[in-house]
């Protein structure tokens, strides 16, 4: 053998002998990992005391490791559970906002209706006793239908209110003409003259506008709170994909397998993982923000011209005003009806004038403010709306902000101030890849999560559609339109549940609601009585007062 060959071999063999061999070096202890693993509640029987070869690992780097196959499986499942809990915790604010405010608003509106009905009923019973009870179903049916509408019943507010005034006209027409007998057909003819005669003055038209707009806004707003609650509850319960679970395991627990249980993920690394795992949720954001904007618009209506509290609180006063208007014009109304429907037949036996109450000149005092319940459900609509508007504004962009909120949690990442001493998916070092944008289509190049951008989450798409439908309803409610009936009303009237605002302009004058009915001038009343016939006027007026509770003076 040539001497130069030996001269080469001997140095090479020495070099090979001098290279470090992992098997010859003392394996590192897994003591810290065992402690951290046990603190999670896992059995220490799965974990070695010292590092072992990592060829068996399917997710973490296949280097010397403290993880067995069983450990990797358990930690992978643990990372999935922790991610689900993190999403639920982070979305807790928006979920509780909709749950608690829905409960408050629903309780308020229901109690408001109960208070309005009870207030009217208590006074009528106390003042007129059995005479009111015999005719009270007209008003009870009104409140029943209003409640049924609010709770989601298929009620056309315009038709229902028209029916209420028609029934009230029939009852009153009989009371102001007790000397006649009226058949059902005749009374039906009378009700047909409601629009032409306007026996109740302008009250029905104004009240119909106010009631329909207020109830449409109230019901739709509560429905919006329901939809927001349901969407938030559903979306906060995530089902991570296999690709997401792998990425979560690699981010949260591969440091354990590398013997670095105290090292937390880099902030930007966490963001890419979360943006990949929550890509579909981020796509919900656009429709969610439009929904929140629509909720805020209807909230402004509730504290302004569509305030159901200011409509329902004086509704009995408004009906009383309508009744008095008909009484004052009873002679003209009766004459026109007789002309159009024919002369009715005399009653078999006229009621004695003595049957009328002797003290029909009593001045019925109106409620003092202290006697009326000042609020429903222990609050006022203004306070409720102010509170919910603040909370709604805070809930905008909540779904696209989830990754940032989760990665800001100090339990999850090392934070933005510790970018060198954090887990980057492979070792303890800075994370270099760029942060992905929000949404499914932007995850095509996500370096951490395998995301199929061609298959949007069907469940999330269903929630997007639910929000879109609700937003459309809210926009209709903002304009005073009932989405269920907007094609059934007379658009030219400008006063029905389907008409709302003309040319998208909603008048804000609702002085009719907020002012009390003006007192009737006694001198004028005496003049009217003299002109119409004193006997007829006194009899009709006393009978009207027997049936209907008036919160202003009856003379």
């Amino acid at each position: 053998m040539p001497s130069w060959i030996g001269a080469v071999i001997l140095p090479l063999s020495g070099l090979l002998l001098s290279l470090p061999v992992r098997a010859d070096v003392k394996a590192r202890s897994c003591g810290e990992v065992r402690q951290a693993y046990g603190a999670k509640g896992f059995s220490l029987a799965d974990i070695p005391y010292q590092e072992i070869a990592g060829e068996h690992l399917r997710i973490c780097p296949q280097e010397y490791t403290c993880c067995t196959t069983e450990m990797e499986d358990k930690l992978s499942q643990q990372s999935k559970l922790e991610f689900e809990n993190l999403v639920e915790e982070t979305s807790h604010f928006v979920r509780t906002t909709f749950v608690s405010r829905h409960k408050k608003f629903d309780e308020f509106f229901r109690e408001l209706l109960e208070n309005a009905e009870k207030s009217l009923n208590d006074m009528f019973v106390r003042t007129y006793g059995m005479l009111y009870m015999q005719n009270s179903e007209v008003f009870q049916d009104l409140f029943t239908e209003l409640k049924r509408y609010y709770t989601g019943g298929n009620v056309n507010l315009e038709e229902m209110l028209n029916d209420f005034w028609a029934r009230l006209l029939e009852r009153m027409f009989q009371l102001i003409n007790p000397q006649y007998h009226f058949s059902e057909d005749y009374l039906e003819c009378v009700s047909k003259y409601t629009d032409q005669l306007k026996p109740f003055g302008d009250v029905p038209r104004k009240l119909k506008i106010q009631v329909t707009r207020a109830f449409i806004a109230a019901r739709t707003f509560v429905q919006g709170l329901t939809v927001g609650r349901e969407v938030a509850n559903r979306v906060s319960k995530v089902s991570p994909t296999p690709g997401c679970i792998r990425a979560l395991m690699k981010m949260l627990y591969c440091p354990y397998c590398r013997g670095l249980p105290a090292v937390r993920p880099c902030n930007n690394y966490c963001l890419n993982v979360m943006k990949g795992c929550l890509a579909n949720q981020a796509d919900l954001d656009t429709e969610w923000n439009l929904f929140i904007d629509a909720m805020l618009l209807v909230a402004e209506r509730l504290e302004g011209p569509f305030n159901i509290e200011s409509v329902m609180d004086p509704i009995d006063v408004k009906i009383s005003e309508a009744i008095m208007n008909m009484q004052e014009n009873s002679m003209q109304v009766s004459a026109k009806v007789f002309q159009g429907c024919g002369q009715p037949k005399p009653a078999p036996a006229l009621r004695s004038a003595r049957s009328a109450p002797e003290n029909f000149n009593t001045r019925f005092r109106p409620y003092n403010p202290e006697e009326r319940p000042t609020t429903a459900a222990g609050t006022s609509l203004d306070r409720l709306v102010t509170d919910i508007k603040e909370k709604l504004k805070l809930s905008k962009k909540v779904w696209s902000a989830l990754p940032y909120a989760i990665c800001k949690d100090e339990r999850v990442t090392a934070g933005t101030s510790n970018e060198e001493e954090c887990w980057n998916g492979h070792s303890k070092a800075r994370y270099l890849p760029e942060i992905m944008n929000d949404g499914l289509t932007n995850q095509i190049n996500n370096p951490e999560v395998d995301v199929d951008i061609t298959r949007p989450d069907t469940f999330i798409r269903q929630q997007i559609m639910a929000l879109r439908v609700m937003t459309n309803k809210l926009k209709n409610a903002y304009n005073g339109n009932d989405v269920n009936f907007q094609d059934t009303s007379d658009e030219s009237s400008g006063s029905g549940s389907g008409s709302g605002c003309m040319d998208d302009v909603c008048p804000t004058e609702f002085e009719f609601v907020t002012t009390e009915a003006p007192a009737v001038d006694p001198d004028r009343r005496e003049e009217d009585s003299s002109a119409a016939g004193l006997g007829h006027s006194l009899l009709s007026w006393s009978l009207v007062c027997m049936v209907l509770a008036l919160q202003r003076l009856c003379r």
Side-chain angles (χ1 to χ4, degrees):
M1 179 177 66
S3 59
W4 65 270
I5 295 179
V8 172
I9 291 176
L10 287 174
L12 284 174
S13 61
L15 178 62
L16 291 171
L17 290 172
S18 66
L19 289 174
V21 180
R22 191 67 178 85
D24 295 338
V25 178
K26 185 177 181 181
R28 287 188 297 180
S29 170
C30 292
E32 286 186 40
V33 179
R34 288 177 63 85
Q35 185 177 356
Y37 189 72
K40 293 288 182 182
F42 296 118
S43 170
L44 295 180
D46 295 331
I47 184 170
Y49 285 93
Q50 293 179 323
E51 288 183 335
I52 60 175
E55 292 86 352
H56 57 279
L57 298 179
R58 295 187 298 274
I59 299 174
C60 295
Q62 293 183 334
E63 301 176 15
Y64 280 90
T65 181
C66 287
C67 284
T68 61
T69 301
E70 292 77 11
M71 284 180 64
E72 192 179 41
D73 290 341
K74 288 181 179 179
L75 289 173
S76 181
Q77 183 63 24
Q78 179 69 16
S79 65
K80 174 180 178 293
L81 293 174
E82 288 183 9
F83 168 71
E84 292 171 348
N85 290 335
L86 281 168
V87 174
E88 201 158 351
E89 284 178 26
T90 309
S91 61
H92 179 262
F93 166 77
V94 69
R95 288 185 291 114
T96 55
T97 291
F98 280 90
V99 169
S100 62
R101 271 53 186 187
H102 174 270
K103 184 175 183 295
K104 270 287 187 185
F105 271 90
D106 185 56
E107 182 183 60
F108 177 86
F109 289 139
R110 289 174 185 267
E111 193 168 321
L112 184 67
L113 294 177
E114 292 292 338
N115 285 350
E117 182 176 21
K118 186 176 185 298
S119 175
L120 182 137
N121 186 70
D122 286 351
M123 183 181 62
F124 282 20
V125 170
R126 184 172 64 249
T127 308
Y128 304 109
M130 187 56 66
L131 289 174
Y132 160 68
M133 296 301 292
Q134 291 171 349
N135 296 276
S136 62
E137 73 275 7
V138 175
F139 299 96
Q140 290 172 354
D141 290 348
L142 170 65
F143 282 99
T144 297
E145 289 300 287
L146 288 174
K147 291 174 190 174
R148 193 162 74 87
Y149 174 84
Y150 169 72
T151 56
N154 190 27
V155 178
N156 187 319
L157 286 174
E158 182 177 351
E159 291 179 359
M160 184 272 292
L161 289 168
N162 288 341
D163 184 61
F164 165 73
W165 292 110
R167 290 180 65 194
L168 189 57
L169 174 60
E170 291 178 9
R171 294 296 179 96
M172 284 199 62
F173 192 76
Q174 294 177 82
L175 289 171
I176 63 177
N177 294 285
Q179 69 273 33
Y180 295 111
H181 169 72
F182 300 101
S183 65
E184 290 296 324
D185 290 341
Y186 196 97
L187 290 175
E188 186 175 344
C189 178
V190 172
S191 66
K192 291 179 180 178
Y193 279 82
T194 305
D195 292 336
Q196 180 181 338
L197 297 175
K198 293 189 174 10
F200 300 112
D202 206 29
V203 173
R205 185 190 67 82
K206 288 184 175 181
L207 199 58
K208 182 161 62 175
I209 294 173
Q210 294 157 4
V211 168
T212 53
R213 289 175 174 174
F215 271 79
I216 289 166
R219 181 172 86 163
T220 308
F221 192 76
V222 171
Q223 287 177 343
L225 291 173
T226 301
V227 170
R229 179 192 66 191
E230 294 304 315
V231 169
N233 283 336
R234 290 167 182 163
V235 176
S236 64
K237 291 177 173 56
V238 293
S239 299
T241 63
C244 172
I245 295 172
R246 288 178 60 86
L248 290 167
M249 168 62 193
K250 185 178 178 182
M251 181 183 83
L252 294 173
Y253 287 111
C254 282
Y256 279 51
C257 297
R258 294 287 290 143
L260 303 170
V263 179
R264 293 176 183 171
C266 301
N267 185 74
N268 290 354
Y269 174 34
C270 173
L271 285 175
N272 273 344
V273 172
M274 292 302 158
K275 288 198 175 197
C277 288
L278 297 170
N280 283 282
Q281 280 75 7
D283 282 347
L284 187 75
D285 228 33
T286 299
E287 203 63 49
W288 176 267
N289 293 339
L290 292 173
F291 162 71
I292 295 297
D293 287 339
M295 287 288 289
L296 288 168
L297 287 174
V298 175
E300 290 177 4
R301 287 291 198 230
L302 284 176
E303 62 184 356
F306 297 179
N307 189 318
I308 191 174
E309 189 173 24
S310 65
V311 171
M312 291 308 296
D313 201 39
I315 193 169
D316 46 6
V317 176
K318 299 304 145 190
I319 295 173
S320 298
E321 182 180 335
I323 297 303
M324 280 189 283
N325 189 82
M326 178 170 178
Q327 189 277 331
E328 291 169 356
N329 297 285
S330 58
M331 293 293 292
Q332 299 94 313
V333 170
S334 296
K336 290 181 180 178
V337 170
F338 294 161
Q339 183 179 359
C341 298
Q343 190 69 22
K345 296 179 181 179
L350 287 176
R351 202 177 294 173
S352 172
R354 293 184 180 179
S355 63
E358 296 179 6
N359 195 22
F360 54 79
N361 289 321
T362 301
R363 291 176 66 91
F364 294 104
R365 64 181 178 86
Y367 279 128
N368 289 326
E370 293 79 13
E371 293 181 38
R372 271 189 183 274
T374 55
T375 63
T379 185
S380 71
L381 185 58
D382 287 342
R383 286 197 291 270
L384 282 176
V385 171
T386 299
D387 170 71
I388 191 64
K389 282 169 66 177
E390 294 175 359
K391 299 296 189 298
L392 288 173
K393 289 174 184 176
L394 292 174
S395 69
K396 288 191 72 173
K397 299 183 179 179
V398 64
W399 306 112
S400 61
L402 272 181
Y404 297 91
I406 291 172
C407 295
K408 189 171 65 175
D409 192 328
E410 61 182 11
R411 297 171 301 172
V412 179
T413 69
T416 55
S417 62
N418 195 8
E419 296 183 0
E420 301 293 340
E421 302 291 315
C422 57
W423 174 252
N424 66 6
H426 303 280
S427 61
K428 185 170 70 171
R430 176 183 287 270
Y431 182 77
L432 299 177
E434 64 176 341
I435 302 173
M436 297 293 101
N437 290 325
D438 301 325
L440 186 63
T441 57
N442 289 315
Q443 306 311 307
I444 187 171
N445 294 318
N446 192 311
E448 309 305 336
V449 188
D450 182 17
V451 181
D452 186 354
I453 66 169
T454 65
R455 298 182 61 185
D457 188 298
T458 304
F459 179 75
I460 295 295
R461 267 42 193 182
Q462 289 172 349
Q463 308 315 306
I464 289 175
M465 185 55 65
L467 289 171
R468 192 168 296 161
V469 170
M470 192 66 242
T471 299
N472 183 57
K473 281 190 173 184
L474 289 163
K475 288 178 179 177
N476 276 285
Y478 174 77
N479 290 320
N481 298 329
D482 192 339
V483 70
N484 295 325
F485 298 108
Q486 57 184 327
D487 295 327
T488 64
S489 65
D490 180 6
E491 294 182 2
S492 63
S493 68
S495 62
S497 62
S499 56
C501 309
M502 302 301 291
D503 299 325
D504 292 330
V505 178
C506 292
T508 56
E509 59 85 29
F510 273 71
E511 72 281 352
F512 170 73
V513 174
T514 56
T515 58
E516 290 200 7
V520 178
D521 184 353
D523 295 331
R524 179 184 172 186
R525 186 172 292 144
E526 289 175 5
E527 292 172 4
D528 291 343
S529 298
S530 176
L534 182 61
H536 183 279
S537 182
L538 290 179
L539 177 60
S540 62
W541 183 249
S542 60
L543 287 172
V544 170
C545 286
M546 290 169 62
V547 180
L548 299 166
L550 306 178
Q551 289 185 256
R552 26 187 297 192
L553 58 92
C554 295
R555 293 193 63 176

